[in-house]
Amino acid sequence: MSYKSKILGLAVGGLLSLSGLLSTLAQAQEADLSPEQKGRVRAEKVEAAIKLIPAGYKFVTPGKLTVASVPGRLPFAAYATDNKTPVGSEPDIAQLVADGLGLQLELIPIAWADWPLGVVSGRFDAAIHNITVTEERKEKFDFSTYRNDLLGFYVPLNSKVASIAKPEDVAGLRVIVSSGTNQEQILLRWIEANKAKGLPASEVQYYDDEAVLAVALQSGRADAYLGPNATSAFKAAKEKTTKFVGGFSGGWPETAEIAVATKKGSGIADAVTVALNEQIKNGSYAKVLSRWNLSAEAVKEARTNPPGLPRK
């Protein structure tokens, strides 16, 4: 079975098998981190999308699409070699959207926790960084989907943990996860389910600093890390210090999609969706995902405000 077929199985609710990583990130060490990004995929204006921009919509900066980016982990986003320019798959998607809308791209690097208020307050026109569509978030944001959401468990290479495929498998483990994320909510639900069964308690650990997180995992202070599969797989292929032991949809037990987030009711989401669909149609979108080894997470069609993950 091909990797793509395995991912399709995952999207229906199954778990990602270990062999599914065989085709992941052979090019991880060759990622272009130059601020110039000469290999970045560019797109033509999409007139149908431009016509959908509301006449009364005011961009943060006229003629520019101001996008919140969260440099931290590749392939999604990291700082270029100049230590100030965000590069990665999400800045590339932002570029496609800006090009399609006939605008210049303005990327603003921020911390993850700052994007919601930034979009609501009008500091950014959009936020593009692995943001999952949820019903709760839809109360404040409009969404234009562009990628499937996959999560993965990773452990040190010498770990005795061979597989994490169900809630019972995290019983008694010390697991690192990012606060305020869907994976945190899933992990907490798993822990509560285990508690109800009388299984050993799990310890949840949080680290804002990537280096500290890595040290905790390698030193044995933590047993596993749960996060977006793409970032962990990218790092595993590059550094060869961790290994994949299990994965599932970011909306477990339901499927989940990643989307461009814009302010609720601003009216720009439909324009973004049309711009994305044109890039899917003409192949530019596929080139972006291929550039960052994310082809397995591709969607066939961008959608505006599809059903999101239910409220917890």
Side-chain angles (χ1 to χ4, degrees):
M1 181 182 290
S2 69
Y3 183 43
K4 184 175 181 180
S5 296
K6 293 177 188 295
I7 293 295
L8 289 175
L10 165 64
V12 179
L15 294 170
L16 182 61
S17 71
L18 182 59
S19 61
L21 289 184
L22 292 179
S23 63
T24 50
L25 300 167
Q27 300 177 1
Q29 297 182 9
E30 302 175 7
D32 177 14
L33 296 180
S34 67
E36 296 80 13
Q37 289 295 291
K38 294 181 180 180
R40 176 172 285 172
V41 181
R42 301 299 300 268
E44 299 295 326
K45 293 181 180 179
V46 180
E47 295 299 334
I50 294 174
K51 291 179 180 179
L52 289 176
I53 299 174
Y57 182 82
K58 294 183 179 180
F59 289 96
V60 174
T61 300
K64 294 184 177 182
L65 182 69
T66 302
V67 176
S69 182
V70 187
R73 304 187 73 188
L74 289 173
F76 298 146
Y79 282 113
T81 52
D82 64 356
N83 293 318
K84 64 179 182 180
T85 304
V87 298
S89 64
E90 307 299 68
D92 280 11
I93 290 292
Q95 186 68 70
L96 289 185
V97 174
D99 286 346
L101 296 179
L103 301 167
Q104 180 181 344
L105 177 62
E106 180 76 17
L107 289 171
I108 306 296
I110 62 165
W112 167 262
D114 295 337
W115 75 260
L117 179 58
V119 172
V120 170
S121 67
R123 181 185 175 194
F124 316 119
D125 296 307
I128 302 179
H129 189 86
N130 203 47
I131 300 170
T132 303
V133 181
T134 71
E135 287 303 310
E136 184 175 359
R137 285 174 177 166
K138 283 168 65 177
E139 294 178 359
K140 295 183 178 180
F141 308 99
D142 287 324
F143 290 101
S144 300
T145 60
Y146 65 89
R147 188 161 47 76
N148 285 313
D149 183 8
L150 304 179
L151 301 175
F153 277 104
Y154 283 76
V155 300
L157 288 179
N158 62 356
S159 173
K160 294 181 180 179
V161 178
S163 174
I164 301 178
K166 56 187 181 299
E168 293 84 351
D169 293 335
V170 301
L173 297 184
R174 298 163 297 174
V175 184
I176 300 172
V177 72
S178 295
S179 178
T181 60
N182 291 315
Q183 54 264 32
E184 178 196 28
Q185 294 302 314
I186 293 171
L187 178 61
L188 294 178
R189 296 206 308 273
W190 281 23
I191 292 173
E192 284 300 311
N194 289 340
K195 181 179 179 181
K197 296 178 181 178
L199 296 176
S202 301
E203 178 185 316
V204 181
Q205 299 182 10
Y206 302 94
Y207 299 99
D208 292 330
D209 188 282
E210 179 69 19
V212 176
L213 185 159
V215 170
L217 200 57
Q218 295 303 320
S219 68
R221 293 204 302 270
D223 299 305
Y225 169 71
L226 172 61
N229 187 67
T231 56
S232 295
F234 192 97
K235 183 175 181 179
K238 181 179 180 180
E239 300 181 0
K240 296 179 173 59
T241 58
T242 57
K243 61 183 179 181
F244 171 85
V245 292
F248 48 88
S249 170
W252 184 92
E254 302 175 47
T255 58
E257 289 184 87
I258 301 300
V260 176
T262 52
K263 185 177 180 179
K264 185 72 175 180
S266 66
I268 198 174
D270 285 335
V272 172
T273 300
V274 170
L276 284 168
N277 274 322
E278 177 58 29
Q279 307 319 315
I280 292 174
K281 180 180 178 181
N282 65 30
S284 295
Y285 166 78
K287 291 178 181 178
V288 167
L289 295 194
S290 176
R291 185 180 187 223
W292 297 100
N293 296 285
L294 287 171
S295 299
E297 301 187 10
V299 296
K300 294 183 178 179
E301 179 185 26
R303 299 186 294 167
T304 299
N305 293 329
L309 298 183
R311 292 176 177 80
K312 303 298 185 291

